[in-house]
Amino acid sequence: MSIDNRVSGRTKIVGLIGNPVEHSISPQFQNTLSKIMGVDLIYIPCKVDKNNIEKATEGLRALNLTGFNVTVPFKQLVMRYIDEISDDALLFGAVNTVKNINGKLYGYNTDADGFMRSFKEETSEGFHNKKVALIGAGGAARSIGIKIAMEKASRISIINRTRSKALEIADIINSNFGNIAECCSFEELRNADVIKNYDIIINTTSVGMFPDIEGCPFEIPIKFSENQIIYDIIYNPKKTRLLMEAEKCGCKALNGLGMLLYQGILAFEIWTGLNVTEKAIKQLFNLFKYGSVQQDL
Ligand code: ATR
């Protein structure tokens, strides 16, 4: 038996607060990233009762953690208990990453940047002058929609079961970035002449996510054209019904693993002040996107 040297008195600690946290791959991902980068940092999951978010945040400050990630259902609520929030996170209406600097807590949001970096790296395309259909109007849709507007998309159509929520996001986009967002119905989008007008279609709803793997936000079959890009932020299963349909039509079809990995990489960079190297990113993608870990998701 040898001594376990993984944690010493100097090891920095970061955590994940959420509920549930058991399904999360962030602990494995962040601890692997620390190892690859040679940083003495560990990442631990903290399942927090919904009534304890304030105490948990204060506890992490009192224990002098380096920072933490925030996941469902606390991304909005946590904003009340941190000291300074980045402009982007304020606009997105959610914080997913907190850094503790000498007892002061700074809030950031790396979800939308993670999405954007994954999209650009995996498609070699951007959103400038693009027409985008954004399916869903929850927290993820809000931050992704705003980020796409920042990148100067020419039109953003938001489609959601509950229209009032889609309208809210369209209003935020239009009042900050000019009149580019609108609401659209699933019925309108079913029309082949309408759907073919979009360059990029993004699903942010949970329709199609495990265990609802037969679910699809559109009625099947769907007539996508082969020059369209379909991005589903779901990563379990790695190929949703929507992505299967997209592939049948010859489109570029991407799942949400890239977004998940990049939001984690960006959080790590915030905590450590380091730039994660291209070589490390390649290793991480080989392990978590193309390798064995993804089978366990
Ligand atoms: P997230 O933070 O991941 O965006 P969320 O805020 O709970 O999660 O949003 C979930 C999204 O999935 C919403 O757009 C939701 O539609 P409603 O606003 O109408 O609730 C959408 N969604 C979830 N289940 C759905 C279903 N069965 N059919 C259509 N949309 C669904």
Side-chain angles (χ1 to χ4, degrees):
M1 174 100 188
S2 59
I3 293 172
D4 184 337
N5 281 318
R6 285 176 298 179
V7 178
S8 76
R10 288 191 180 80
T11 304
K12 299 258 190 292
I13 305 171
V14 286
L16 167 68
I17 57 174
N19 196 339
V21 293
E22 291 87 345
H23 67 287
S24 174
I25 65 159
S26 291
Q28 288 154 291
F29 178 76
Q30 291 290 349
N31 289 320
T32 307
L33 175 51
S34 291
K35 204 171 179 179
I36 293 173
M37 292 293 290
V39 176
D40 190 6
L41 178 100
I42 58 159
Y43 186 101
I44 53 165
C46 306
K47 184 172 174 174
V48 173
D49 183 88
K50 69 174 176 3
N51 300 314
N52 281 338
I53 179 66
E54 181 175 9
K55 283 186 195 151
T57 310
E58 281 314 309
L60 297 173
R61 190 204 308 263
L63 292 170
N64 198 29
L65 261 67
T66 295
F68 49 96
N69 273 144
V70 186
T71 189
V72 176
F74 302 127
K75 287 185 190 185
Q76 285 89 30
L77 205 52
V78 77
M79 296 172 85
R80 292 189 199 166
Y81 309 114
I82 51 189
D83 303 307
E84 216 164 286
I85 298 173
S86 75
D87 290 346
D88 278 6
L90 279 174
L91 203 55
F92 299 152
V95 159
N96 80 326
T97 301
V98 178
K99 182 171 184 174
N100 176 10
I101 304 176
N102 301 324
K104 194 167 170 187
L105 301 182
Y106 296 82
Y108 305 87
N109 185 313
T110 66
D111 287 330
D113 286 339
F115 165 81
M116 194 52 70
R117 190 140 167 214
S118 143
F119 187 90
K120 288 181 177 172
E121 299 277 339
E122 294 175 80
T123 65
S124 306
E125 302 258 4
F127 282 88
H128 190 254
N129 264 335
K130 294 286 163 58
K131 295 194 183 87
V132 183
L134 184 65
I135 320 294
R142 175 172 164 157
S143 52
I144 290 172
I146 292 170
K147 187 72 196 175
I148 291 167
M150 288 172 167
E151 298 273 320
K152 300 197 164 34
S154 57
R155 173 142 59 102
I156 304 172
S157 301
I158 306 167
I159 303 97
N160 193 46
R161 179 177 61 179
T162 313
R163 193 180 164 87
S164 58
K165 286 165 72 181
L167 267 173
E168 257 172 57
I169 298 178
D171 282 348
I172 297 170
I173 293 175
N174 290 339
S175 53
N176 284 283
F177 303 97
N179 219 7
I180 54 168
E182 63 186 4
C183 294
C184 182
S185 69
F186 282 104
E187 286 70 33
E188 286 170 81
L189 223 64
R190 222 168 269 150
N191 181 334
D193 288 334
V194 174
I195 198 149
K196 74 167 193 256
N197 285 323
Y198 294 98
D199 303 300
I200 300 159
I201 294 156
I202 304 162
N203 176 46
T204 70
T205 74
S206 47
V207 182
M209 185 161 79
F210 181 83
D212 167 37
I213 58 169
E214 290 304 318
C216 182
F218 296 100
E219 222 168 70
I220 293 170
I222 316 162
K223 285 199 179 68
F224 292 125
S225 10
E226 63 181 14
N227 54 348
Q228 291 178 311
I229 300 174
I230 318 297
Y231 194 113
D232 194 333
I233 71 165
I234 294 171
Y235 53 85
N236 182 16
K238 63 178 179 173
K239 209 179 273 181
T240 57
R241 281 305 297 273
L242 176 66
L243 294 185
M244 286 180 202
E245 289 296 306
E247 281 189 350
K248 272 191 218 160
C249 301
C251 307
K252 252 185 207 166
L254 300 163
N255 68 26
L257 258 173
M259 173 177 173
L260 179 76
L261 302 189
Y262 275 116
Q263 65 76 27
I265 288 168
L266 293 168
F268 179 91
E269 290 182 338
I270 288 172
W271 295 321
T272 61
L274 298 172
N275 279 325
V276 176
T277 58
E278 284 305 315
K279 192 174 160 208
I281 292 176
K282 218 171 183 175
Q283 273 178 284
L284 289 163
F285 269 72
N286 282 335
L287 285 167
F288 288 88
K289 185 157 171 141
Y290 311 117
S292 56
V293 180
Q294 78 173 5
Q295 313 299 333
D296 306 329
L297 286 172

